[in-house]
Amino acid sequence: MSESHPEPRLQTSLDALSLDQLFREARTPRSWSDQPVGREMLVALYDLLKLGPTSGNCCPARLVFLTADDMKERLRPALSPGNVESCLSAPVVVLVCHDPLFFEHLPRLNREEGLRNWFAADVGLSEETAMRNGSLQGGYLILAARALGLAVAPYSGFDAYSVEDVFLNDTGWRVNFIAGLGYPGPEKAPERAMRLGFDEACLVL
Ligand SMILES: Cc1cc2nc3c(=O)[nH]c(=O)nc-3n(C[C@H](O)[C@H](O)[C@H](O)COP(=O)(O)O)c2cc1C
């Protein structure tokens, strides 16, 4: 088979159980079990999510995994009150960030000449690109975690400047959202809220 025609096994739908695990049965957890999430799992997670596509392979997402209790505690003052308990009780808390200077890595990530300078010369374009693609990579993180059997609880209720001040000062990275990672606890999620139907949310032109 030629290179332009991938093996058919890469073109078939996942089985129903896999689709359940990724989407239909997956829920945002309300509590966490005590089961730890080790470094190997975090590496496996990154090794999957990094393969999701980004524009020009710019790969702007940066992740800060908070695993130690004292590190999680440093996050407490930045969280909205309603998020404190569920977020800080997660076995791992990940700060989903992006690097505004992502373009400095482009000479290694993309062979096209001049790309680094193109982004470096246009702050608006580079910020938009970092936010768009960093958010996509955050979405890949959620689905990669589910694929590995983890549950993910994302949070946007926090003060970004405080988080950046405490954790990101040395890096220059910007935080986009926060997520708890772990295995779900016994507390059942309420009935799933409705989603918009195809005809409400989609146009086929
Ligand atoms: C980017 C993002 C930010 C979120 N922020 C919060 C938050 O600050 N607090 C909260 O309780 N839930 C938050 N959520 C959780 C969503 O409300 C929840 O994932 C969504 O309603 C889907 O729930 P389900 O997975 O049970 O269907 C956030 C989810 C996402 C994707």
Side-chain angles (χ1 to χ4, degrees), residues 23 26-30 80 82-83 86 142 146 152-158 176-178 189-193 195:
F23 295 101
R27 296 296 307 276
T28 303
R30 297 308 197 269
S80 305
N83 287 335
S86 71
I142 293 172
R146 289 176 172 183
V152 185
Y155 304 96
S156 49
F158 64 90
N176 185 344
F177 68 94
I178 294 174
E191 195 184 339
R192 171 114 69 183
R195 303 299 203 254

Side-chain angles (χ1 to χ4, degrees), residues 1-7:
M1 187 155 286
S2 81
E3 262 187 51
S4 58
H5 295 92
E7 295 285 339

Side-chain angles (χ1 to χ4, degrees), residues 25-36:
E25 299 286 329
R27 296 296 307 276
T28 303
R30 297 308 197 269
S31 65
W32 304 99
S33 85
D34 292 338
Q35 194 177 339

Side-chain angles (χ1 to χ4, degrees), residues 103-125:
F103 46 78
E104 297 296 359
H105 295 276
L106 275 175
R108 283 191 301 140
L109 295 170
N110 188 318
R111 292 204 183 115
E112 202 176 314
E113 290 227 359
L115 262 192
R116 183 243 167 239
N117 292 348
W118 193 51
F119 282 109
D122 189 336
V123 176
L125 176 69

Side-chain angles (χ1 to χ4, degrees), residues 2-3 13-14 19 24-25 30-31 38 42 58 75 77 95 120 130-131 144 155 161-162 168 170 173-174 176 182 185:
S2 81
E3 262 187 51
S13 172
L14 294 180
L19 294 175
R24 290 187 292 237
E25 299 286 329
R30 297 308 197 269
S31 65
L42 302 181
C58 62
L75 185 61
L95 312 179
M131 186 58 167
Y155 304 96
Y161 292 110
S162 304
L168 304 177
D170 297 341
W173 302 348
R174 307 296 311 273
N176 185 344

